[in-house]
Amino acid sequence: MVPRGFQQDIEVALMGDDGKHVAFGRKPQAAITARRPDSGGKEGSKISLLANHFLVKFDSSQKIYHYNVEITPNPSKEVARVIKQKLVDNNSAVLSGAQPAYDGRKNLYSPVEFQNDKLEFYISLPIPSSKLTLPYGEMYDLQEKHERLKLFRVNIKLVSKINGKDLTNYLSKEGDDWVPLPQDYLHALDVVLRESPTEKCLPVGRSIYSSSMGGTKEIGGGAVGMRGFFQSLRPTQQGLALNVDFSVTAFHESIGVIPYLQKRLEFLRDLPQRKTRSLTCEERKEVEKALKSIRVFVCHRETVQRYCVYGLTEEATENLWFPDKDGKNLRLMSYFKDHYNYDIQFKKLPCLQISRSKPCYLPMELCVICEGQKFLGKLSDDQTARILKMGCQRPRERKAIIDEVMRGPVGPTSGTQEREFKLQVSREMTRLTGRILYPPKLKLGEGGHVRRLIPSRHDRQWNLLDGHVYEGTKIERWILISFGGTPEQKSNIPKFISQLCQRCEQLGIFLNKNTVISPQFESTQVLNNVNLLESKLKKMQRAASNNLQLLICIMERKHKGYADLKRIAETSVGVVSQCCLYPNLSKLSSQFLANLALKINAKVGGCTVALYNSLPSQIPRLFQPDEPVMFMGADVTHPHPLDDFSPSVAAVVGSMNWPTANKYISRIRSQTHRQEIIQDLAAMVGELLDDFYQEVKRLPRRIIFFRDGVSETQFYKVLQEELQSIRGACSRFPAYKPSITFAVVQKRHHTRLFSFETDHSSTQNQFFDGNIPPGTVVDSVITHPKEFDFYLCSHWSMKGTSRPTHYHVLWDENQFTSDELQKLVYNLCYTFVRCTKPISLVPPVYYAHLAAYRGRLYLERSESSALFRNTTTLSRAAPPKTAPLPKLSENIKKLMFYC
């Protein structure tokens, strides 16, 4: 069968007997994604919306001249921009009076042709020669008066002449379906519209930040939050559109290195009061990790030079010597006293090493962190909460900020580029009509009977006050263990057990009022000792005759030993666990107990809710009760940006019951550092198919595969490789060829939808304060010109502005219509086991995300982390061989332990 939209003469992917990829056609780039199957969905009531897309009209006959720029010696992007501006100001005639746009690297775009195809310029700037090439003593002697102009050679060469005809054809409804997106022209326009904001603000990735948009706000730990905006050009059904959104991110605070370390690291809070303290080996590693790759400047003399921190010296400052230009050894402390009359205060601390290879040292107390550096480390929970609060704008506020960016002095239309390149950028958000899908009927339990419920509240939440979960479990054998806690907190345990059992009973879940053994009270220190923790948990399992169903753990506070606890319980002991914190036990609200009960029920094999009308009855054209369908979700989680070594973790989940389709089991693997393609996908899918066959007694007729975390630039590669892996897994079974739909799910995008109501007193606006209601779907105007994608906001946003989820179908052998797929995804969002409301993205993807995070926990305290911590910071070694994850215990392999 040829998937919808694929021409018969295009060779589709072929598979060898061994399941390996043989060929992907003569025109692989053309065969990337499924075409939109129809003119869009029809179901649901209509709603008027605004989207933060601004139409960009371009003159397709306007040529853009693309020049390659080479600057030697190679400068930073900031310096390169200064060079470009000086070059343009001084050479107007040679550049034909153009004001070209520059990306700070190699690409320069001009609306007119320069006088020659090859040009060479020499530009001098008041930047000192790199001091790292000078003898060490002389480096410190270079004061402002000795700084000299630095000469840069700039070579400019014409690469190509491009126009917008291909982009016009691509955007045209009548155009050839197989015209590839003209990336070169789109990139040129992107650079053009970014030129003015970049000159005035701080660019970070595709976003631009400015203190003029509300100043900076301290978020703790040596970091500040700064507001800005994101901008990106997108091909859409209405034409080329500029997507602009409000953005907030964390930067390093521009303060002295010593006060920075005080704020960043708990153990250095009292540093100024203890100037003679030194660092232990572990503390030194933490300091080095905190300062690595940060740029600093010195405050003991005037200079514009900036230095990058590569690491710390092994020796303390008082023990450091260096050779001067005559080869004579000088003591660092004596040098600063003699040359600058400065007595180094923190002589027991190491110095900053500011060269990758040579010994070049700067005392910490004389260094200040440069402004405008993105905070790359992992934000703490408190920092994250403060950043989220800064970025948490209600719809009307967010819309006002975006409108101000489009009309303001630092936005994409603030310069002359729009006029220079004959562009017309709308200042008005795009108006469109969306649809609100109807909520599905749900199935709950009621004393062994089925109860029907329609979520009719405006936020689509429902409660279980007078109903049971759809499938409650029976937990006979369980144990409670406590770590830390005050005597008063511990005294709440009997009341907690009693009320949790009672709440479970109200929900149709049986939790034995008597634990296998009396509650165990341990010190928090046990969580620091892996071997002791494991022996205690195994002892409990033996006390339950190796038949323990549940372990409830109560902790005094969040603790890094949580990762060890989960790993030991799920891989070594073989029991699901539920953790909670003592502060939550002081209130014991009905909501807290209900949430705990739902999670416990799901983990031990129950489920909260099911769809009243089964999927075959809702989509009869595709789904049959006796032809099972498997829903799969996949995600890859990567280590944080400063971690150069830890493996990435891939997780795949699959539904194991049909037609209910609300129980998912997982497979988790570690893989190469920052590898986005799931390397072991064929084996993982194969194992899930085996499990499905054991449960349902048949293999799935259709596989609906939802893939999270893929950017648009990776669509083709992910589809090409992962679709082959899925087919490879299927080929293990004789003559088994299920129909596969492969869709990418994106939450990390910047499209926002706003209710557009002329009557602000309407009931809807009273409820939503401008936010869109659950079930809002958009598949026109702002979606792809030809490909099968849609935005669905399936949840109600209590804070900030709703972010719809973007679903992009890359491959569709099931030939869904727009209505069928949108309805399917929305209905599935009501079946998530942890809550009584629809969630923001389709559950298989959410489960895959939770499973991948659990795999990350397993690795967090393992040897690979130790390897990362112990590696020298002066050179970036290749990632080590990926350590495999510990194997899950057979007891919990088929349970939703990761919930």
Side-chain angles (χ1 to χ4, degrees):
M1 176 172 66
V2 178
R4 181 192 307 278
F6 280 68
Q7 296 173 349
Q8 294 286 348
D9 62 338
I10 290 181
E11 299 171 31
V12 294
L14 302 174
M15 183 76 69
D17 291 337
D18 58 354
K20 290 184 178 174
H21 173 68
V22 176
F24 202 84
R26 294 191 301 268
K27 291 166 66 176
Q29 285 295 341
I32 292 181
T33 55
R35 306 289 104 174
R36 192 176 300 282
D38 44 39
S39 58
K42 302 285 183 274
E43 288 193 16
S45 57
K46 291 185 177 179
I47 178 174
S48 297
L49 300 168
L50 290 172
N52 58 340
H53 286 214
F54 299 84
L55 187 62
V56 178
K57 292 181 178 175
F58 58 94
D59 181 349
S60 60
S61 64
Q62 164 71 43
K63 280 187 180 172
I64 294 180
Y65 298 86
H66 177 196
Y67 290 89
N68 181 68
V69 178
E70 276 191 22
I71 305 176
T72 47
N74 193 27
S76 67
K77 283 180 81 170
E78 294 86 351
V79 173
R81 290 188 185 283
V82 176
I83 292 169
K84 172 258 175 183
Q85 196 51 54
K86 191 170 181 184
L87 185 151
V88 171
D89 293 344
N90 296 349
N91 300 277
S92 181
V94 182
L95 301 180
S96 307
Q99 288 289 325
Y102 179 45
D103 69 355
R105 291 195 181 94
K106 297 275 187 187
N107 301 300
L108 188 77
Y109 298 98
S110 170
V112 293
E113 195 167 3
F114 299 157
Q115 284 189 2
N116 294 303
D117 289 352
K118 286 184 182 178
L119 295 166
E120 185 172 82
F121 303 92
Y122 287 88
I123 302 292
S124 56
L125 291 182
I127 295 175
S129 301
S130 173
K131 297 187 174 84
L132 302 185
T133 62
L134 299 170
Y136 192 79
E138 193 176 327
M139 181 180 109
Y140 282 121
D141 286 333
L142 260 180
Q143 296 186 32
E144 191 70 33
K145 58 185 178 183
H146 294 135
E147 286 175 351
R148 55 184 179 273
L149 295 176
K150 183 171 182 180
L151 197 64
F152 293 91
R153 186 177 72 179
V154 185
N155 285 103
I156 296 177
K157 181 182 176 184
L158 182 67
V159 177
S160 63
K161 304 172 188 179
I162 48 179
N163 60 40
K165 285 175 184 170
D166 286 344
L167 183 56
T168 301
N169 290 341
Y170 183 86
L171 296 168
S172 164
K173 286 185 172 65
E174 292 74 41
D176 182 356
D177 258 7
W178 304 107
V179 172
L181 179 65
Q183 292 284 6
D184 53 354
Y185 192 75
L186 203 61
H187 179 69
L189 293 185
D190 190 65
V191 172
V192 167
L193 289 173
R194 201 173 287 276
E195 178 76 4
S196 183
T198 303
E199 284 177 354
K200 301 165 187 173
C201 309
L202 285 168
V204 177
R206 303 201 70 78
S207 295
I208 290 153
Y209 297 90
S210 170
S211 53
S212 68
M213 289 185 66
T216 57
K217 187 174 180 181
E218 209 172 320
I219 61 168
V224 293
M226 194 185 293
R227 294 178 170 189
F229 61 93
F230 166 94
Q231 70 172 73
S232 175
L233 282 170
R234 299 187 62 79
T236 68
Q237 289 188 43
Q238 69 169 335
L240 191 63
L242 186 66
N243 178 201
V244 177
D245 190 25
F246 172 61
S247 178
V248 174
T249 199
F251 288 83
H252 292 287
E253 194 175 353
S254 183
I255 52 177
V257 166
I258 296 291
Y260 175 80
L261 290 174
Q262 268 183 275
K263 291 184 175 188
R264 179 89 188 260
L265 301 170
E266 185 74 40
F267 61 84
L268 294 179
R269 291 285 148 92
D270 60 350
L271 196 52
Q273 289 77 45
R274 297 178 57 200
K275 291 184 176 177
T276 56
R277 76 157 286 177
S278 55
L279 300 178
T280 66
C281 185
E282 279 305 308
E283 286 175 341
R284 188 184 164 283
K285 284 174 188 168
E286 287 298 312
V287 171
E288 191 165 56
K289 193 170 157 189
L291 294 176
K292 186 185 176 189
S293 301
I294 288 179
R295 295 192 309 279
V296 297
F297 64 90
V298 293
C299 57
H300 64 283
R301 58 192 176 85
E302 288 186 26
T303 175
V304 294
Q305 182 69 20
R306 301 293 181 258
Y307 307 96
C308 180
V309 178
Y310 288 103
L312 300 182
T313 57
E314 294 288 340
E315 296 285 344
T317 303
E318 63 181 357
N319 299 326
L320 287 171
W321 294 70
F322 64 91
D324 69 2
K325 55 186 174 185
D326 300 320
K328 182 183 173 186
N329 258 8
L330 298 177
R331 189 175 181 221
L332 189 76
M333 289 185 60
S334 306
Y335 176 85
F336 274 89
K337 179 66 177 169
D338 296 344
H339 282 69
Y340 300 102
N341 194 26
Y342 182 81
D343 291 310
I344 292 174
Q345 307 290 301
F346 297 89
K347 50 191 174 191
K348 298 281 187 187
L349 293 181
C351 277
L352 302 182
Q353 165 69 321
I354 54 159
S355 167
R356 200 185 288 272
S357 51
K358 299 177 184 177
C360 293
Y361 317 131
L362 288 177
M364 287 188 195
E365 64 205 80
L366 296 176
C367 296
V368 180
I369 288 168
C370 297
E371 204 175 6
Q373 297 181 78
K374 189 176 182 331
F375 192 95
L376 292 177
K378 196 175 182 182
L379 292 176
S380 68
D381 290 348
D382 287 344
Q383 287 174 318
T384 302
R386 290 184 188 118
I387 274 283
L388 288 175
K389 192 175 179 183
M390 276 186 77
C392 190
Q393 306 290 331
R394 293 303 287 173
R396 286 187 190 129
E397 296 165 358
R398 193 181 197 99
K399 180 182 178 301
I401 292 169
I402 295 168
D403 285 339
E404 174 57 30
V405 166
M406 289 305 293
R407 297 182 174 99
V410 297
T413 61
S414 60
T416 60
Q417 286 74 29
E418 194 179 355
R419 187 179 67 249
E420 287 264 326
F421 288 84
K422 295 185 183 174
L423 301 175
Q424 286 177 276
V425 184
S426 172
R427 281 17 174 211
E428 301 295 327
M429 285 193 180
T430 296
R431 292 187 188 186
L432 63 133
T433 301
R435 291 170 289 114
I436 306 171
L437 302 180
Y438 305 112
K441 292 175 189 173
L442 301 177
K443 208 188 282 189
L444 297 176
E446 197 170 309
H449 303 287
V450 170
R451 172 173 163 239
R452 187 180 76 166
L453 176 142
I454 299 176
S456 54
R457 274 175 47 160
H458 70 277
D459 57 6
R460 298 298 181 238
Q461 291 195 45
W462 64 94
N463 64 55
L464 293 166
L465 289 176
D466 52 352
H468 289 173
V469 294
Y470 177 61
E471 188 182 328
T473 49
K474 198 168 184 180
I475 304 164
E476 298 270 12
R477 308 176 71 77
W478 69 283
I479 284 175
L480 184 143
I481 183 170
S482 154
F483 297 99
T486 64
E488 186 187 352
Q489 287 176 323
K490 292 176 185 175
S491 69
N492 287 328
I493 294 293
K495 181 184 173 189
F496 166 67
I497 292 175
S498 169
Q499 292 201 13
L500 180 61
C501 293
Q502 191 180 332
R503 193 73 184 95
C504 282
E505 189 180 348
Q506 290 166 358
L507 293 169
I509 304 160
F510 174 78
L511 180 65
N512 194 339
K513 288 182 171 62
N514 300 310
T515 54
V516 173
I517 54 175
S518 60
Q520 304 292 295
F521 294 93
E522 303 289 350
S523 155
T524 302
Q525 292 305 313
V526 173
L527 289 170
N528 292 322
N529 187 327
V530 178
N531 294 331
L532 182 60
L533 179 63
E534 185 164 357
S535 69
K536 285 186 180 294
L537 296 186
K538 282 184 172 176
K539 188 179 177 183
M540 290 179 178
Q541 177 69 291
R542 286 194 296 275
S545 307
N546 289 321
N547 194 22
L548 200 57
Q549 290 172 276
L550 172 69
L551 176 68
I552 292 183
C553 307
I554 303 175
M555 297 180 181
E556 186 177 355
R557 61 183 185 278
K558 288 186 178 181
H559 193 285
K560 57 187 178 183
Y562 169 84
D564 289 322
L565 180 92
K566 289 292 183 184
R567 177 175 49 79
I568 292 164
E570 290 155 7
T571 64
S572 179
V573 179
V575 62
V576 295
S577 58
Q578 179 59 54
C579 296
C580 49
L581 300 174
Y582 265 117
N584 292 325
L585 266 58
S586 59
K587 301 171 191 173
L588 286 181
S589 69
S590 176
Q591 188 63 60
F592 167 71
L593 291 168
N595 289 344
L596 210 57
L598 294 184
K599 288 185 74 174
I600 289 169
N601 186 53
K603 285 178 180 180
V604 293
C607 68
T608 305
V609 68
L611 297 172
Y612 188 82
N613 297 318
S614 67
L615 292 173
S617 68
Q618 293 194 53
I619 311 177
R621 191 180 69 84
L622 291 181
F623 296 159
Q624 305 297 325
D626 59 345
E627 289 187 352
V629 176
M630 186 185 200
F631 298 102
M632 303 185 83
D635 191 18
V636 179
T637 173
H638 303 294
H640 68 83
L642 289 182
D643 184 338
D644 291 338
F645 296 92
S646 297
S648 293
V649 176
V652 182
V653 302
S655 61
M656 290 292 132
N657 53 347
W658 176 256
T660 317
N662 62 357
K663 290 184 181 179
Y664 290 77
I665 67 172
S666 66
R667 288 295 180 270
I668 317 170
R669 301 280 200 279
S670 59
Q671 60 183 42
T672 306
H673 175 77
R674 300 209 186 285
Q675 169 70 44
E676 182 54 51
I677 305 292
I678 301 176
Q679 291 173 327
D680 213 10
L681 183 61
M684 294 159 89
V685 171
E687 289 174 27
L688 290 172
L689 288 171
D690 283 333
D691 290 326
F692 188 94
Y693 187 80
Q694 287 175 30
E695 295 291 327
V696 184
K697 309 305 177 200
R698 295 186 66 177
L699 286 169
R701 167 73 183 82
R702 304 176 194 276
I703 293 175
I704 319 296
F705 190 91
F706 295 101
R707 177 67 156 90
D708 192 20
V710 179
S711 65
E712 288 167 1
T713 55
Q714 296 173 308
F715 277 6
Y716 172 68
K717 189 172 173 61
V718 166
L719 173 65
Q720 185 186 33
E721 297 194 27
E722 294 189 0
L723 182 63
Q724 298 309 318
S725 295
I726 297 168
R727 286 181 169 161
C730 296
S731 69
R732 292 173 44 231
F733 303 92
Y736 176 54
K737 290 184 179 177
S739 302
I740 298 169
T741 295
F742 191 112
V744 166
V745 183
Q746 293 173 310
K747 278 289 281 181
R748 289 186 178 181
H749 62 81
H750 287 269
T751 293
R752 298 292 182 275
L753 300 169
F754 304 91
S755 290
F756 179 63
E757 293 289 339
T758 50
D759 176 13
H760 290 293
S761 64
S762 69
T763 309
Q764 182 173 295
N765 271 277
Q766 286 173 17
F767 277 132
F768 297 105
D769 187 22
N771 251 331
I772 53 177
T776 301
V777 66
V778 170
D779 57 7
S780 63
V781 186
I782 59 168
T783 47
H784 195 278
K786 297 183 177 69
E787 294 172 7
F788 188 4
D789 70 327
F790 58 91
Y791 292 94
L792 171 64
C793 181
S794 48
H795 69 300
W796 181 64
S797 186
M798 294 178 69
K799 293 180 180 178
T801 305
S802 301
R803 188 200 310 239
T805 299
H806 189 207
Y807 295 89
H808 202 128
V809 181
L810 302 191
W811 190 268
D812 185 22
E813 293 171 346
N814 289 297
Q815 299 195 354
F816 279 101
T817 65
S818 294
D819 276 327
E820 286 169 342
L821 189 59
Q822 290 161 13
K823 183 178 180 181
L824 170 66
V825 169
Y826 185 47
N827 287 359
L828 287 175
C829 288
Y830 280 81
T831 65
F832 188 63
V833 293
R834 291 205 318 198
C835 56
T836 54
K837 59 185 178 183
I839 58 169
S840 62
L841 73 168
V842 71
V845 161
Y846 203 134
Y847 294 138
H849 179 75
L850 292 174
Y853 175 70
R854 182 55 52 84
R856 168 74 50 218
L857 275 188
Y858 292 169
L859 285 173
E860 214 162 66
R861 311 258 282 155
S862 68
E863 287 176 8
S864 62
S865 298
L867 184 58
F868 167 56
R869 287 194 295 272
N870 292 331
T871 305
T872 172
T873 55
L874 293 184
S875 62
R876 187 170 177 140
K881 193 175 179 188
T882 304
L885 293 176
K887 286 189 176 174
L888 290 173
S889 165
E890 291 298 320
N891 297 10
I892 67 160
K893 234 179 179 180
K894 295 190 177 181
L895 296 173
M896 294 175 71
F897 65 92
Y898 48 83
C899 281

